[in-house]
Amino acid sequence: GEPTRDGLETKDYTVSNGEVCHPRTIAAPPSLMVLNDNSIVIDHRATPNVRQAFSGVIPLVENGQVVASLYDMSKPDNTEGHARNIEGENAAGHQMVLESEGVYPNQGLKHYQAAEIMQQYGAVTAAFMSGGGDVSCRFNGQSLIIPENINPATGAHFERPLPNVF
């Protein structure tokens, strides 16, 4: 793992077609896991029968409630608005996805705002998976949001190449 701003080591849990690519060795941020039976689990623990897994960053909604620490405005991560990629699950076990644009600098959703949107739409659990320049959203080959990345020479927005597509 790599050190974070807080000096903690982040561990990945990535699974592709049932093969563990990066095993989790300590409790860390949650991952979205798609099991062999197509059910969804969002947890910080490795789970049996995982077909696909994507590492998360910050829990936003737990047991249907917005995580209280997201309202702590002494943490810079809670005060900055950015593009957000949020994954969650509703009470019926259906996966929920929120992709929001946020043009740099500081124009987009704060973590608590993204959590409140997910909660409003019925999420019982949700996690911030990535943000800023990592966020893109394409459907049928068309971009649905303006990417946060800006080419300094042209001023044009561009998508950052991403390793995981779901």
Side-chain angles (χ1 to χ4, degrees):
E2 296 184 13
T4 65
R5 273 190 234 180
D6 301 327
L8 302 174
E9 192 173 316
T10 302
K11 299 291 183 182
D12 291 329
Y13 182 59
T14 306
V15 176
S16 179
N17 294 322
E19 182 178 328
V20 176
C21 302
H22 298 283
R24 172 162 287 143
T25 58
I26 60 170
S31 294
L32 177 130
M33 296 172 268
V34 180
L35 305 185
N36 289 332
D37 66 1
N38 289 325
S39 62
I40 304 293
V41 173
I42 298 176
D43 204 332
H44 66 279
R45 295 176 296 249
T47 302
N49 302 312
V50 175
R51 186 174 70 240
Q52 296 289 138
F54 305 94
S55 290
V57 178
I58 298 171
L60 300 179
V61 177
E62 294 177 336
N63 299 316
Q65 301 300 311
V66 173
V67 174
S69 63
L70 300 177
Y71 296 105
D72 178 356
M73 294 303 141
S74 68
K75 296 180 180 181
D77 281 348
N78 290 344
T79 62
E80 298 173 358
H82 292 283
R84 302 286 179 196
N85 172 5
I86 311 298
E87 305 277 347
E89 180 181 27
N90 67 14
H94 296 122
Q95 179 192 11
M96 301 173 67
V97 177
L98 170 64
E99 302 286 339
S100 71
E101 59 189 22
V103 180
Y104 186 81
N106 203 20
Q107 298 177 20
L109 296 175
K110 296 173 177 64
H111 288 136
Y112 77 87
Q113 293 170 320
E116 288 173 350
I117 291 169
M118 291 297 282
Q119 182 189 44
Q120 174 186 352
Y121 283 97
V124 294
T125 186
F128 167 68
M129 304 300 278
S130 65
D134 287 351
V135 178
S136 65
C137 185
R138 298 185 73 77
F139 185 75
N140 286 337
Q142 298 296 313
S143 180
L144 300 179
I145 66 172
I146 297 171
E148 187 170 302
N149 303 298
I150 300 173
N151 180 325
T154 65
H157 294 268
F158 67 94
E159 271 186 44
R160 181 184 299 170
L162 298 171
N164 283 332
V165 176
F166 188 69

